[in-house]
Amino acid sequence: MGILIGLFLLACAMVFIAAVIFIITSLKDTKPVYFAMGLLLSAIIYAALFLDYKLSSRAYGLGSYFMFPFYMVLLPFTVGLVTKFSPGKYVKLISKVCFISAMFSGFFILFFNKYTLDIVDWLELPKYY
């Protein structure tokens, strides 16, 4: 299972780096309000995942290693990638906000992994495997 988790987290790290590259290359077209919206989207996703864990009576011991990277990094990046090549102006805005959200989420998971990947231990939830 450790190899699977390692490969999954490595793929999420590559997606995070790709999101950072997309943001850096389009930095001149990115307004500060997009960064605020991306941060808000990341906070909303984290709040939903946190509440899911907080309101549960027990948790799968390795579930946070899959849920947080998937919902906070992979899902926004995929939505951003799908909408990046759309001709619509507002759809491109969604793309930038999703890439920024994936970037902020990657930094959050990287620097605050006690509150993301180790949330089961932090909340002292009973684990099952």
Side-chain angles (χ1 to χ4, degrees):
M1 190 60 144
I3 293 172
L4 182 65
I5 292 171
L7 290 174
F8 181 71
L9 292 177
L10 181 65
C12 289
M14 290 191 297
V15 165
F16 163 69
I17 291 170
V20 171
I21 290 171
F22 279 141
I23 295 304
I24 290 174
T25 56
S26 67
L27 200 57
K28 64 181 178 180
D29 299 331
T30 307
K31 298 176 183 175
V33 71
Y34 298 164
F35 285 96
M37 289 172 24
L39 185 61
L40 181 66
L41 179 61
S42 294
I44 290 170
I45 294 170
Y46 176 75
L49 290 172
F50 176 79
L51 283 175
D52 180 44
Y53 276 101
K54 186 70 175 170
L55 299 176
S56 65
S57 60
R58 63 187 186 133
Y60 179 62
L62 303 174
S64 61
Y65 288 94
F66 294 105
M67 285 184 60
F68 279 95
F70 179 77
Y71 287 111
M72 292 185 75
V73 177
L74 288 179
L75 195 61
F77 182 82
T78 304
V79 171
L81 197 61
V82 167
T83 58
K84 181 176 175 60
F85 303 107
S86 176
K89 182 174 88 169
Y90 295 109
V91 179
K92 288 189 183 263
L93 168 86
I94 293 171
S95 173
K96 287 182 185 180
V97 169
C98 287
F99 285 137
I100 291 169
S101 174
M103 180 185 72
F104 279 136
S105 296
F107 282 126
F108 186 73
I109 290 171
L110 184 65
F111 292 118
F112 299 105
N113 61 10
K114 176 183 176 185
Y115 306 110
T116 54
L117 301 179
D118 296 332
I119 194 167
V120 176
D121 295 329
W122 181 58
L123 294 175
E124 300 173 353
L125 292 172
K127 299 178 202 173
Y128 67 93
Y129 293 95

